[in-house]
């Protein structure tokens, strides 16, 4: 999920997609100090160069990033981890967490985290690899691969599934789907059950005529992958992406359990408890919506929610560094031939009224920011929100990970989180955020 949150993008977009171009931080807020203890770390700054001037610039960048992270945590985010690689030396990293979370887990930038709808970029890559191998075609109908499972499937192509123009209802809007998203129902879902949950609802529009984000599209694509190859989606991700790129801490989670025997730690995610969640929900959400899990400090620990409901739409676990390696490989052509990479980057507007705003390709978003265009995806699954971006070449990467989704909707949090995202993305591009109000918070170039 997106900041694809635990309900459909269509319903939660306003609450969860935080506009990169909106800079709310003022110079005064940027200078605010924090009394709460926050853990921060700069990545290998002393190893960049023996030159003291260069090392000083690295340290300044890390200090500025740590300040922004601290301000976001102080505003109410349980945890934040940021990794920025501008293509010129080691990445700059910072992690911070609220004091009340430390007993559960000590957060670090290299922790494994649920990546939500960033998973869709993996799945789209796999489909396009099969296209390059002439095993599937983007013009193939859903009916030809999943006969009888999708009403009207003869009119829906794989391309429409990939770019969310199919019109299929999002199963996470169904009450049964929502119960699993929030952890109230911990059943183990099969992909066929998720698809059936969606298709008992009417299509939203004629295929190909509009754009509407739907997790159902990627459940169907996962089923196509398995039918075309005879391999599970988890195995395909491992064999075609993880192993070739040596992503040692990336996998598709299929149950509530985190990978056994892993010597890495994984982040704990949190959502506001029932008493505090209501005001943060977007219009149309059922009254009394709440998350299941251990509660403390006005939050629910979502680390144990079963992500089987997300599957090929959002169940990948990864780290900031692993995802940067993937983004670099993808955009540089290491994973796809030029023809398929061009297809992936052929976009449609997410909002027809603003065709120059964010656009969606095949499992990949084209995002306009204050400092230029970036490519990537966002993700949101209970307790875990992520924004992963790269430049058009894959030379530069950035990851902003938080240990909450709905907590980002709080106005006080948004006023610090948005400037953090802007500054991180601009620093990745080697720029500072435009506007004098942001000069004191943008990472120095």
């Amino acid at each position: 999920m997106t900041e694809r949150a635990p309900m459909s993008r269509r319903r939660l977009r306003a609450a969860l997609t935080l506009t990169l171009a909106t800079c709310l931080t003022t110079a005064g807020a940027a200078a605010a100090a924090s009394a709460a203890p926050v853990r921060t770390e700069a990545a290998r700054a002393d190893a960049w160069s023996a030159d003291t001037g260069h090392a000083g610039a690295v340290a300044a960048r890390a200090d500025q990033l740590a300040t922004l992270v601290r301000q976001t945590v102080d505003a109410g985010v349980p945890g934040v981890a940021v990794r920025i690689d501008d293509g010129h030396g080691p990445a700059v990293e910072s992690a911070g967490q609220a004091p009340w979370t430390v007993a559960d887990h000590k957060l670090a930038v290299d922790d494994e985290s649920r990546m939500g709808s960033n998973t869709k970029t993996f799945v789209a890559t796999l489909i396009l690899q099969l296209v390059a191998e002439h095993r599937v075609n983007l013009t193939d109908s859903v009916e030809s691969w999943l006969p009888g499972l999708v009403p009207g499937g003869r009119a829906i192509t794989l391309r429409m599934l990939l770019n969310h123009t199919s019109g299929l209802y999002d199963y996470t809007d169904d009450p049964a789907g929502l119960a699993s998203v929030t952890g109230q129902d911990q059943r183990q879902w099969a992909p066929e059950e998720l698809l059936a949950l969606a298709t008992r609802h009417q299509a939203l529009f004629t295929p190909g005529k509009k754009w509407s984000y739907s997790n159902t599209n990627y459940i169907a694509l996962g089923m196509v992958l398995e039918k075309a190859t005879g391999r599970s989606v988890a195995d395909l991700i491992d064999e075609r992406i993880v192993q070739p790129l040596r992503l040692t801490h990336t996998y598709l989670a299929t149950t509530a359990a985190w990978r056994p025997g892993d010597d890495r730690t994984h982040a704990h995610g949190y959502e506001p408890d029932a008493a505090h969640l209501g005001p943060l929900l977007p219009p149309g959400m059922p009254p009394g919506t709440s998350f299941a899990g251990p509660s403390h400090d006005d939050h629910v620990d979502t680390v144990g929610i079963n992500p089987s409901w997300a599957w090929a739409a959002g169940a990948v676990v990864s780290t900031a560094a692993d995802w940067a390696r993937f983004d670099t490989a993808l955009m540089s052509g290491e994973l796809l031939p030029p023809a398929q990479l061009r297809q992936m980057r052929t976009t449609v507007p997410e909002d027809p009224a603003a065709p120059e705003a964010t656009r969606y390709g095949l499992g990949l978003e084209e995002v306009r920011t204050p400092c230029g265009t970036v490519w990537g995806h966002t993700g949101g699954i209970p307790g875990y929100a992520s924004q992963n971006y790269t430049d058009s070449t894959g030379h530069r990467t950035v990851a902003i990970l938080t240990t909450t989704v709905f907590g980002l909707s709080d106005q006080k949090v948004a006023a610090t989180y948005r400037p953090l995202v802007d500054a991180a993305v601009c620093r990745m591009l080697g720029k500072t955020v435009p506007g004098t109000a942001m000069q004191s918070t943008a990472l120095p170039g």
Side-chain angles (χ1 to χ4, degrees):
M1 287 190 286
T2 19
E3 271 126 337
R4 290 357 184 236
M7 281 54 84
S8 76
R9 164 86 174 239
R10 180 168 49 84
R11 182 175 287 180
L12 289 183
R13 183 174 179 80
L16 299 173
T17 302
L18 303 178
T19 307
L20 295 178
T22 303
C23 299
L24 300 180
T25 306
T26 65
S34 166
V38 176
R39 179 173 175 267
T40 61
E41 52 189 270
R44 305 179 304 280
D46 57 344
W48 186 334
S49 172
D51 180 79
T52 55
H54 204 171
V58 177
R61 281 192 288 269
D63 288 346
Q64 291 282 357
L65 178 60
T67 296
L68 290 168
V69 167
R70 183 170 62 249
Q71 290 169 358
T72 304
V73 171
D74 290 347
V77 174
V80 182
V82 181
R83 182 183 189 275
I84 305 169
D85 187 346
D86 66 0
H88 299 286
V92 176
E93 302 177 349
S94 184
Q97 66 188 119
W100 60 266
T101 69
V102 175
D104 293 332
H105 171 69
K106 193 172 183 181
L107 185 66
V109 175
D110 59 357
D111 281 342
E112 291 178 354
S113 181
R114 299 200 187 279
M115 288 292 177
S117 277
N118 288 285
T119 301
K120 292 178 173 67
T121 312
F122 271 20
V123 170
T125 299
L126 295 174
I127 288 286
L128 288 167
Q129 286 179 344
L130 296 188
V131 170
E133 296 165 12
H134 307 290
R135 300 172 70 176
V136 304
N137 196 303
L138 293 178
T139 58
D140 289 348
S141 71
V142 173
E143 177 67 18
S144 68
W145 284 103
L146 307 175
L149 296 184
V150 178
R154 287 186 177 85
I156 300 173
T157 65
L158 299 190
R159 184 192 299 276
M160 293 175 188
L161 296 178
L162 286 161
N163 67 10
H164 297 294
T165 59
S166 71
L168 291 177
Y169 180 90
D170 192 325
Y171 65 90
T172 61
D173 277 339
D174 186 277
L178 176 58
S180 287
V181 170
T182 59
Q184 304 295 344
D185 182 347
Q186 289 276 42
R187 80 176 70 179
Q188 184 72 22
W189 286 93
E192 294 80 7
E193 295 173 321
L194 295 171
L195 190 59
L197 192 64
T199 56
R200 71 186 189 186
H201 297 270
Q202 288 187 341
L204 303 179
F205 50 81
T206 301
K209 296 300 183 182
K210 296 182 181 180
W211 185 92
S212 183
Y213 192 92
S214 176
N215 290 294
T216 305
N217 293 321
Y218 278 74
I219 299 302
L221 287 166
M223 295 171 67
V224 170
L225 282 171
E226 294 195 339
K227 189 166 185 179
T229 65
R231 305 288 292 166
S232 71
V233 172
D235 285 344
L236 289 171
I237 288 174
D238 187 61
E239 294 162 2
R240 288 174 169 260
I241 298 175
V242 169
Q243 291 186 36
L245 300 183
R246 298 180 297 281
L247 308 181
T248 54
H249 302 288
T250 299
Y251 61 98
L252 183 75
T254 55
T255 69
W258 294 72
R259 185 164 58 183
D262 196 341
D263 60 358
R264 282 290 181 106
T265 53
H266 54 261
H268 279 236
Y270 305 91
E271 295 297 349
D273 62 18
H276 298 86
L277 181 62
L280 305 178
L281 293 174
M285 290 303 303
T289 297
S290 62
F291 291 90
S295 297
H296 64 91
D297 295 275
D298 300 331
H299 287 78
V300 175
D301 188 338
T302 62
V303 72
I305 290 181
N306 187 345
S308 69
W309 61 267
W311 193 52
V316 161
V317 170
S318 189
T319 65
D322 269 13
W323 208 272
R325 172 72 182 105
F326 165 70
D327 274 343
T328 295
L330 177 65
M331 299 302 282
S332 65
E334 188 175 343
L335 290 172
L336 292 175
Q340 280 65 53
L341 187 55
R342 283 194 300 270
Q343 293 277 15
M344 177 176 264
R345 292 172 55 167
T346 301
T347 61
V348 297
E350 296 187 4
D351 181 359
E356 297 307 313
T358 300
R359 300 174 64 90
Y360 205 95
L362 306 186
L364 187 70
E365 282 187 301
E366 182 182 14
V367 182
R368 271 70 173 181
T369 80
C371 292
T373 297
V374 295
W375 295 86
H377 215 286
T378 57
I381 196 165
Y384 305 87
S386 53
Q387 300 196 50
N388 292 290
Y389 301 114
T390 181
D391 65 1
S392 61
T393 67
H395 187 59
R396 302 166 182 262
T397 61
V398 64
I400 306 103
L401 313 178
T402 66
T403 57
T404 187
V405 174
F406 283 94
L408 299 178
S409 299
D410 180 83
Q411 290 184 354
K412 181 181 177 183
V413 169
T416 58
Y417 177 67
R418 292 177 184 180
L420 168 64
V421 173
D422 279 335
V425 172
C426 287
R427 177 58 204 143
M428 182 261 287
L429 294 173
K431 302 177 182 179
T432 55
V433 180
T436 56
M438 288 299 300
Q439 295 305 315
S440 60
T441 61
L443 303 185

